[in-house]
Amino acid sequence: MKKSRRESTADKLTNLLFTLPAVILYTIFFIYAVFVGINYSFTDWDGIGKTYSYIGFTNYINLFQNQFFWSSMGITLKYALMLVVGVMSVSLVLALSLNSIKRLKTLTKSIFFVPAMIGGVTIALIFDQIYYRLLPSVGEAFGISWLMQSPLASTQTALPAVVFVNVWQAVAMPTLIFIAGLQSVPQDLYESAMLDGATVFNRFRYITFPYLMPTFTINLVLAIKSGITSFDYAYALTAGGPSRSTTVIGILIYNDAFNNMKFSQANAEAVILFILIALLSLLQIKISSKGGVNQV
């Protein structure tokens, strides 16, 4: 039975009233904040003074001449690369393992998903104690020299140690996404391949992986975005040290805004980061739309 025009209008009005608060809050705390930040990036505001002057693209020009900015971008890219490799490889292995479990599958998945429900700072503080108290004790007990000090104390191992903590927590969601992709593979393909004598590797290469490509690309883009925007793990574990070896772009923005009183420069750094994230988001949307249609 078709609705009358008056009922249709009432439904639309009801939907509008329900979504309006969320739209207003999103506009105030995100869209408006973004434009305010962009505006401040063209000024010399220190974050405290009531007055400021417009200086054009000076902050952006100074950034491209700032060695700390380029060093931070390089560290961020290294962080993102290590995070992508760790998350993608570990989550894929976990998904393949969990998908083959026959009993207590739901309970096992829930256990592996627990780290995702704990805050990043909490995880970082737990591993901070592991790095500073447990590992040196193990190194001294077994006479392992490279374990006798915290990996966070060395410029060579601090960044990988921070990435390890991030990977430990970040694999939960990609694992579930991979499992969803694995469950879409028709079982009769595996049966036919086994009858033809295909090895485990060949079954994965020619059957499993093609069906996982949509989920693989989504997890890949999400991991890259997570690596580029990471802040809490590095800040809670090292605060950017030692010797700036873990100063990712998020920590640089924080330090310039709240410690160095260079609020306008920090906004310029945030705008550049925003542009990178926007480009990655557009790439993710494009990949997702193609992945939804071009399933194998």
Side-chain angles (χ1 to χ4, degrees):
M1 184 177 180
K2 293 185 178 180
K3 293 183 178 180
S4 64
R5 181 175 298 179
R6 181 177 298 180
E7 291 176 341
S8 179
T9 303
D11 290 342
K12 291 180 180 179
L13 181 60
T14 302
N15 294 335
L16 176 62
L17 291 176
F18 272 107
T19 57
L20 192 59
V23 172
I24 293 175
L25 291 175
Y26 183 82
T27 302
I28 294 175
F29 292 103
F30 183 78
I31 297 178
Y32 174 73
V34 167
F35 282 104
V36 169
I38 294 174
N39 176 67
Y40 282 140
S41 70
F42 295 104
T43 69
D44 59 356
W45 191 39
D46 60 1
I48 296 178
K50 295 182 178 180
T51 60
Y52 53 84
S53 302
Y54 285 93
I55 57 176
F57 289 91
T58 302
N59 287 321
Y60 293 94
I61 295 173
N62 292 338
L63 279 183
F64 287 104
Q65 298 174 350
N66 188 342
Q67 61 175 346
F68 293 133
F69 173 75
W70 289 111
S71 174
S72 178
M73 289 296 293
I75 293 171
T76 303
L77 292 178
K78 290 179 183 178
Y79 188 103
L81 178 61
M82 287 189 287
L83 183 68
V84 167
V85 173
V87 168
M88 297 299 291
S89 57
V90 174
S91 61
L92 181 58
V93 171
L94 284 176
L96 292 171
S97 302
L98 293 174
N99 192 58
S100 61
I101 295 177
K102 302 301 181 182
R103 296 182 178 180
L104 302 177
K105 181 179 294 187
T106 303
L107 176 61
T108 308
K109 291 178 183 178
S110 302
I111 293 173
F112 276 92
F113 193 74
V114 167
M117 298 185 291
I118 306 175
V121 175
T122 303
I123 295 295
L125 294 176
I126 293 173
F127 272 89
D128 180 70
Q129 296 301 308
I130 293 175
Y131 284 149
Y132 276 103
R133 296 180 183 274
L134 180 60
L135 289 186
S137 299
V138 173
E140 292 176 2
F142 291 94
I144 305 175
S145 58
W146 61 274
L147 273 182
M148 291 183 180
Q149 69 169 358
S150 169
L152 300 176
S154 171
T155 57
Q156 302 297 321
T157 57
L159 190 64
V162 175
V163 173
F164 176 83
V165 179
N166 197 344
V167 170
W168 185 85
Q169 186 181 34
V171 295
M173 186 59 70
T175 299
L176 291 183
I177 295 175
F178 275 137
I179 290 176
L182 289 171
Q183 292 176 350
S184 67
V185 183
Q187 293 300 314
D188 55 349
L189 294 180
Y190 289 124
E191 296 173 0
S192 299
M194 293 175 66
L195 291 175
D196 291 338
T199 62
V200 175
F201 176 76
N202 285 334
R203 292 199 299 269
F204 174 81
R205 178 181 178 183
Y206 294 107
I207 299 176
T208 305
F209 191 72
Y211 274 90
L212 283 181
M213 277 305 298
T215 56
F216 186 89
T217 52
I218 291 174
N219 281 337
L220 178 63
V221 175
L222 290 176
I224 294 174
K225 287 172 60 179
S226 178
I228 292 177
T229 59
S230 181
F231 168 80
D232 46 0
Y233 300 97
Y235 189 81
L237 286 168
T238 63
S243 302
R244 290 180 173 267
S245 60
T246 60
T247 304
V248 293
I249 187 66
I251 293 180
L252 180 68
I253 294 172
Y254 177 87
N255 288 335
D256 284 341
F258 301 106
N259 294 333
N260 302 330
M261 309 309 295
K262 298 178 180 179
F263 197 83
S264 57
Q265 179 175 307
N267 273 276
E269 295 163 354
V271 169
I272 294 176
L273 182 62
F274 173 77
I275 293 173
L276 290 176
I277 297 172
L279 292 175
L280 287 173
S281 299
L282 291 174
L283 177 63
Q284 178 189 350
I285 294 172
K286 185 176 180 181
I287 292 174
S288 300
S289 60
K290 287 185 176 180
V293 176
N294 298 330
Q295 294 276 354
V296 176

